[in-house]
Amino acid sequence: MINANSRQRLKRLKPRQRKKLRVGEFQELGFTVIANLKEDAAAGAHDGLLDAWLDAVEQQGVSFGGHFSDGQLDGIVFPINGVAVTAEMRSALNAWLQARTEVSDVECSELLDVWHSAW
């Protein structure tokens, strides 16, 4: 895979091209989330967790895309409406999931380029 943000490539692109390709200063960061749920939790508790998770993500001004099945929440948190995903936001959402009683373990990736990474 070619590094979309290599110095050589960015040097030859105009700002309009960098914006269209979402590279350089227009790069969009996000992070992946995998949360395993406790097996003994009731099915209603899982639905409540999903609703609360989506509210927590929305309060940060970003979005979550993924799936929720077989006792696992798996997806990616990504920017919307010009709100950038930051390391502080990642830490806050990770801590929120770890604090939930329905969750047995959480794995959040480091910030990654949502357009040019193989996540």
Side-chain angles (χ1 to χ4, degrees):
M1 180 175 182
I2 297 173
N3 181 2
N5 285 295
S6 71
R7 187 181 315 238
Q8 185 74 7
R9 182 173 188 228
L10 293 177
K11 190 165 63 171
R12 65 180 172 80
L13 295 174
K14 295 180 175 150
R16 175 185 57 81
Q17 293 169 314
R18 290 193 305 268
K19 183 176 181 181
K20 187 173 185 176
L21 294 172
R22 293 180 171 94
V23 295
E25 68 270 34
F26 302 103
Q27 180 181 36
E28 294 181 353
L29 301 176
F31 62 94
T32 60
V33 176
I34 299 173
N36 294 310
L37 308 180
K38 294 180 181 173
E39 293 180 15
D40 59 349
H46 289 186
D47 291 339
L49 171 69
L50 179 60
D51 290 339
W53 166 249
L54 293 175
D55 288 341
V57 170
E58 187 176 306
Q59 286 175 359
Q60 296 285 338
V62 294
S63 189
F64 174 77
H67 61 89
F68 183 70
S69 63
D70 299 327
Q72 187 177 57
L73 176 70
D74 184 10
I76 187 165
V77 175
F78 57 93
I80 56 171
N81 298 330
V83 176
V85 175
T86 63
E88 294 81 20
M89 188 181 300
R90 178 194 166 277
S91 297
L93 290 172
N94 187 16
W96 186 93
L97 275 172
Q98 289 179 345
R100 297 295 296 212
T101 58
E102 305 95 333
V103 178
S104 62
D105 64 285
V106 178
E107 182 182 326
C108 289
S109 72
E110 294 300 318
L111 293 179
L112 53 88
D113 186 338
V114 296
W115 289 96
H116 301 285
S117 294
W119 48 271

